[in-house]
Amino acid sequence: MKLYFYGGAGEVTGVKYLLEIKRGSKKINILVDCGIVQGGREQAEENYREFPFNPKKVNYLFVTHAHIDHIGLVPKLYKDGFRGKIFTTPPTKDLMKLVLTDSYQIFEKESRETGKEPLYKKEDVEQALTLVNTVDYSEKQKLEDEIYFKFNDAGHMLGSAIIEIWASGKKIVFSGDLGNAPTPLLNPPTKITEADYILVESTYGDRVHENRNERKEVLENIIEETFSQKGVLMIPAFAVERTQELLCELNELVVNHRIPQLPIFIDSPLAVKATEIYKRYPEYFNKEASKLILGGHDLFRFSGLSYTEQVEDSKAINRILPPKIIIAGSGMSAGGRILFHEKFYLPNPKNCLLITNFQVRGTPGRQIIEGNKNVKILDEEVPIRAKIASIEGYSSHADQKALYNWLDNFLKPVKHIWTVQGEEKSAEALAQLVKDHLGIPASVPKKGEMVEL
Ligand SMILES: [Zn+2]
């Protein structure tokens, strides 16, 4: 059996692992995730290149969750000849449709501007989705003779999974992205106790989340400050998961009168649709959240909150006098409606930009959080005079301590752990920690590297 690290190796995004299982004269190829590389122009170019494997020869694709860095190239995989089966959870299937429909429209728009062939088209998205089979959590299933798999709750976003694969007498665990428990909505990542090999995410492999316990108080303080300054609080947020988690927190602050009344806008058509999908799956939430939802509480609606789907409504937000809160995508300020608000409000010191998720290298969000005085937004140099705040405790990724604790559940002997989906520094730090304290061989794979299992 061979394992190829085609993406997510020494980098956070572009996740793609190929497992090649030899069965007599036949080879069975399982791809785990097929994500887009995010970041600057160079990274964007990489997505247009040919796959480093033959998509026609991939028999199965397992999808851990519906973030674009894990699913963004699935339609391209179809376009380039993949006709195998895709397995994922029911919510991930719905979210894939939403996210990929949004992404092909972005590529078509880009293509109209640059004259370049789009990465994929509507038909590729539609056809790729016809290949999806859904599986529930915690059910061990047979894929082929002597090959089994199981999806387990990863607690990272709705429907996210840790995938276990049994083949050739060995067991490999793909962590996907692991959640940052406890969260307002989701369960903690499932504890797995057995594996020969583990691929573990390491986005925050070198850091412990600050403000972990006080995150809600910090959010409360930032909102109160915005209110007293009569400023605008901008929160760039991914439309899926980050927005819904923030809504739950804001809901609680509003209902319990912990913050003054001020208008809150969810300025993202994608977030509106994603929230509808969230409402369909109360059984996927943690006990407290599902009890509230099943009891008729709408966690995603409260006094002062408006969803703006239409462009006109989005523009009208500017006419509302501050104080106000605007939550919009994209989460890394690399596109979406947040850009219009940033261009307008970043130059004013009364305003605040609050970052609640990881900012990939090369994105405008990374430049902002690194303290740049200007940032290029919509082809204009925008001076940053607004306050820049960050609450890492809201990240949807486990921190170093939580990753270590999750790995500590495995009973020895694990043969090898690869730390993936993190920049070199954080992936190396986690690998070192595993070697030093768990006594398990660990390393950061090189992109394109193959290992024999
Ligand atoms: Zn993710």
Side-chain angles (χ1 to χ4, degrees), residues 30-49:
I30 302 174
L31 187 66
V32 177
D33 287 342
C34 193
I36 247 168
V37 182
Q38 292 173 302
R41 197 177 294 261
E42 202 182 303
Q43 285 82 0
E45 281 302 313
E46 190 186 324
N47 296 311
Y48 285 85
R49 276 185 225 135

Side-chain angles (χ1 to χ4, degrees), residues 65 67 70 156 177:
H65 65 287
H67 275 147
H70 293 255
H156 167 68
D177 282 344

Side-chain angles (χ1 to χ4, degrees), residues 80-146:
D80 292 357
F82 169 70
R83 296 293 182 271
K85 282 183 180 171
I86 303 175
F87 287 97
T88 197
T89 61
T92 301
K93 182 183 178 183
D94 287 358
L95 291 170
M96 273 175 87
K97 185 175 175 197
L98 180 74
V99 171
L100 295 175
T101 301
D102 184 65
S103 70
Y104 89 74
Q105 287 171 351
I106 294 172
F107 294 130
E108 283 189 343
K109 187 168 166 267
E110 257 176 33
S111 156
R112 282 195 296 275
E113 285 160 8
T114 60
K116 200 161 91 175
E117 173 82 3
L119 191 53
Y120 45 79
K121 294 181 179 156
K122 188 180 181 191
E123 313 74 276
D124 303 311
V125 173
E126 287 171 352
Q127 289 303 317
L129 289 169
T130 64
L131 304 176
V132 179
N133 297 263
T134 57
V135 288
D136 288 323
Y137 286 143
S138 312
E139 282 177 12
K140 190 171 173 180
Q141 309 229 10
K142 186 176 174 178
L143 188 69
E144 299 233 354
D145 280 344
E146 293 164 38

